[in-house]
Amino acid sequence: RSANATHEVINATLHTLLAATTKLVAPTPPKPILPVQTGVQAQQEEQSSGMTIFFSLLVIAICIILVHLLIEYRLHFLPESVAVVSLGILMGAFIKIIEAQKLANWKEEEMFRPNMFFLLLLPPIIFESGYSLHKGNFFQNIGSIILFSVFGTAISAFIVGGGIYFLGQADVIYKLNMTDSFAFGSLISAVDPVATIAIFNALNVDPVLNMLVFGESILNDAVSIVLTNTAEGLTRENMSDVSGWQTFLQALGYFLKMFFGSAALGTLTGLISALISFSNFGHIDLRKTPSLEFGMMIIFAYLPYGLAEGISLSGIMAILFSGIVMSHYTHHNLSPVTQILMQQTLRTVAFMCETCVFAFLGLSIFSFPHKFEMSFVIWCIVLVLFGRAVNIFPLSYLLNFFRDHKITPKMMFIMWFSGLRGAIPYALSLHLGLEPMEKRQLIGTTTIIIVLFTILLLGGGTMPLIRLVDIEDSKPRKRSKKDVNLSKTEKMGNTIESEHLSELTEEEYEAQYVKRQNLKGFMRLDVEYLNPFFTRRLTQE
């Protein structure tokens, strides 16, 4: 009887605990099964996708021919992005004339799809940018780069977003709420580093400053995307009963989670790839079969993006940090054949993706449903330029207190002038789910105008600016015209960068790094512990 009573008590207790747990934890609803198109619908979808792929490849092929002509006729003063956007505008006008004559209907094919951009085009661009950060010492300038990319981008986003919000409240421009204003300020704060680096290379500026601006521009893209996603997350939630301070704290927490969580995931993935490329699994060494080794590296190039997006983090931030870590550690463990394959393949794919986006940016002039308001566009341009100035000048003066390589006022002006907007603001503007539709059209139209303004006018003014600087530099020496080359493709294709094809022996590594006495901070940690652990070292034999 005692045993039966104890058994009943235990059963009653478990039943009570189970009931309480069921009330606390709601059952997870099953994921809906997406409808699968079959028959005629599937055939029509396949034909539509096939025409879209054909149209995109045709546009890229025409742009490749254009870039070749620029190189062939030595039109080095014209940035390729400017030429491709101009070609896209002409193609859009031509298609519009054909559609007006009812000779063809290409409206669906010429429309830019944001999902295609974020899933297919943007990851190779961002990964290649991170993988190219070997040009100079990124880690030695990590503090300055983070200050510009994180705090500078946030300053620009708050100035643009806050200015738009308060001007709207004063009925000066179209009225947007706080979260929509901040979302627009965040997306328009992403800058395109191509023209900036071209200017600095043409001016032969200090390599450390070149690395500083390049690193800031690359991280800036990822930070801008995370800030925009933060604003979108606040828009989706009901924030009517939440105070402004609570909203700020919630946005800050979301940003920190996205930034550091995604960066940690990308870093971990990159380090795992370094260990795999360094270790031999039993008697298997992928270096002996470069095709398999190259395939494994391509998998790791895209792996962090899919994982991060699957667990609600930023895939762009993850793939950027993965590229940086793989460039610093994994790349040096690869066979020379795979090193060349990685370098050239990433460059080619990134060039094609960038070209495609810039071409569709030009096409959008005629394919995108526009809503144009002059006052909104003018004030946005003023706020964008002012926000960039507040970003560059105060932070540069602050950094000069701690830097041996000072940033001169002339370089600050070039950095401000070269803050061009490119593919990412355009795609982010199409990705925003704003309501009503006229608000979304206004944001998209304004973004396209700002991008074209900075690319065509500021980008086109880079050459006169270089000549103006050359007037000041012409006293000690006269610069030849062929020193100034704004063609990114020609510079990429001329040489294989030997400093990134390295298999250092133990003696060479000690002579180049370990015996240096001026290493501090992360550089010292990297040289003494991380690099020897994650990279392959060969003896002279």
Side-chain angles (χ1 to χ4, degrees), residues 278 329 509 514 525-537:
F278 175 76
Y329 298 115
Y509 182 78
V514 177
L525 174 68
D526 181 48
V527 167
E528 293 184 359
Y529 301 103
L530 297 181
N531 221 306
F533 182 78
F534 285 107
T535 57
R536 188 189 300 258
R537 290 286 166 255

Side-chain angles (χ1 to χ4, degrees), residues 68 86 100 107 115 147 149 166-167 209 236 263 269 273 281 303 329 336 348 351 410 469 475 479 486 493 505-506:
H68 171 73
S86 302
K107 288 184 178 180
N115 288 339
L147 185 67
S149 59
F166 288 113
L167 288 172
L209 180 59
R236 287 191 294 265
T269 306
S273 72
F281 297 97
L303 188 67
Y329 298 115
T348 302
F351 164 75
K410 182 167 58 176
V469 175
K475 296 177 182 178
R479 188 189 305 273
L486 299 185
T505 64
E506 294 284 357

Side-chain angles (χ1 to χ4, degrees), residues 71 73-77 198 201-204 463 466-467 470 477-487 490-491 494:
I71 297 174
Y73 290 98
R74 298 188 178 278
L75 301 177
H76 297 151
F77 63 89
N201 287 338
L203 293 173
N204 294 322
M463 189 63 185
I466 291 174
R467 288 176 177 171
D470 275 346
R477 62 181 178 87
K478 189 172 182 179
R479 188 189 305 273
S480 62
K481 288 186 178 180
K482 63 181 179 181
D483 287 339
V484 178
N485 186 349
L486 299 185
S487 175
E490 185 176 8
K491 291 181 180 179
N494 280 341

Side-chain angles (χ1 to χ4, degrees), residues 151-167 173 178 181-182 184-186 188-189 227 379-392 394 421:
F151 292 98
T153 305
I155 289 172
S156 177
F158 277 111
I159 288 178
V160 177
I164 290 173
Y165 174 74
F166 288 113
L167 288 172
I173 60 176
M178 179 64 77
S181 301
F182 180 69
F184 178 71
S186 301
I188 207 64
S189 297
L227 285 173
W379 276 108
C380 284
I381 292 176
V382 171
L383 289 172
V384 164
L385 297 177
F386 179 69
R388 179 70 178 170
V390 176
N391 170 4
I392 294 299
R421 271 59 183 174

